[in-house]
Amino acid sequence: MGFAGPCTAVPSRRRENSGLRREPDRPGPAAFLQEIGPLIGGALAGLIGASFALLVDVLSYVVDIVTLSLLGSAEPPHRRAATGSLGKAFLGSIVDVFRWIARHPLLWATTSSSALFSTFFAGLLTNRTLFLINELDASKLTIGVILGASALGGVTIRLFADALIERF
């Protein structure tokens, strides 16, 4: 998972009685990585520079793509379009997913609010970084420490969230 943004999940097409059960929500590696990502990004930007840190982030996504492509799939293989083009069938599958999300009221609301939230906070974090650099003349190390402190705060809250929910 790259450190620049949160991880998303695409729902699989499986029957409800497939024998798979849902694990309860709890702090785990995915939640930890999602919160600790900005700390890693800030540290890399401070150590090797922003452009190389971005390159490392892009490479982490490439590793994700390669490793996910090596996993087996429970879904049927892609059908070739009438023209025999796998690319058109793949794009058709993507369009089908967007249609499916658009027709489902809960998924549509969740997806749109998540996109709006991510866009807003990406702009907010960008403005904060630009303010620190342009107005306060903060060094790369200072910005990395600030990002790291905010990530550690998020991790700490996440570790205690379940206990607080159960208590109150």
Side-chain angles (χ1 to χ4, degrees), residues 12 38 68 130 136:
S12 64
L68 287 173
L130 291 174
L136 299 180

Side-chain angles (χ1 to χ4, degrees), residues 48-159:
I48 62 175
S51 58
F52 286 117
L54 186 60
L55 179 65
V56 169
D57 189 37
V58 168
L59 291 175
S60 73
Y61 280 106
V62 170
V63 169
D64 282 349
I65 290 168
V66 170
T67 55
L68 287 173
S69 68
L70 295 175
L71 293 175
S73 174
E75 295 184 16
H78 292 288
R79 294 179 303 242
R80 292 195 183 269
T83 61
S85 169
L86 183 60
K88 286 184 180 180
F90 181 70
L91 290 176
S93 297
I94 292 173
V95 169
D96 286 343
V97 169
F98 281 115
R99 283 187 193 139
W100 183 62
I101 290 172
R103 285 187 215 134
H104 194 286
L106 181 62
L107 288 177
W108 173 250
T110 304
T111 304
S112 347
S113 63
S114 176
L116 183 63
F117 180 82
S118 295
T119 302
F120 174 76
F121 277 103
L124 185 67
L125 291 175
T126 302
N127 283 332
R128 178 180 69 177
T129 304
L130 291 174
F131 175 75
L132 289 170
I133 292 170
N134 295 334
E135 300 298 324
L136 299 180
D137 293 324
S139 69
K140 294 176 188 175
L141 179 62
T142 304
I143 294 171
V145 168
I146 290 170
L147 290 174
S150 65
L152 288 177
V155 169
T156 305
I157 293 295
R158 180 62 181 121
L159 291 174

Side-chain angles (χ1 to χ4, degrees), residues 20-31 158 162 166:
L20 297 176
R21 60 187 177 96
R22 184 178 178 275
E23 292 293 323
D25 292 332
R26 62 177 177 251
R158 180 62 181 121
D162 290 337
E166 287 178 16

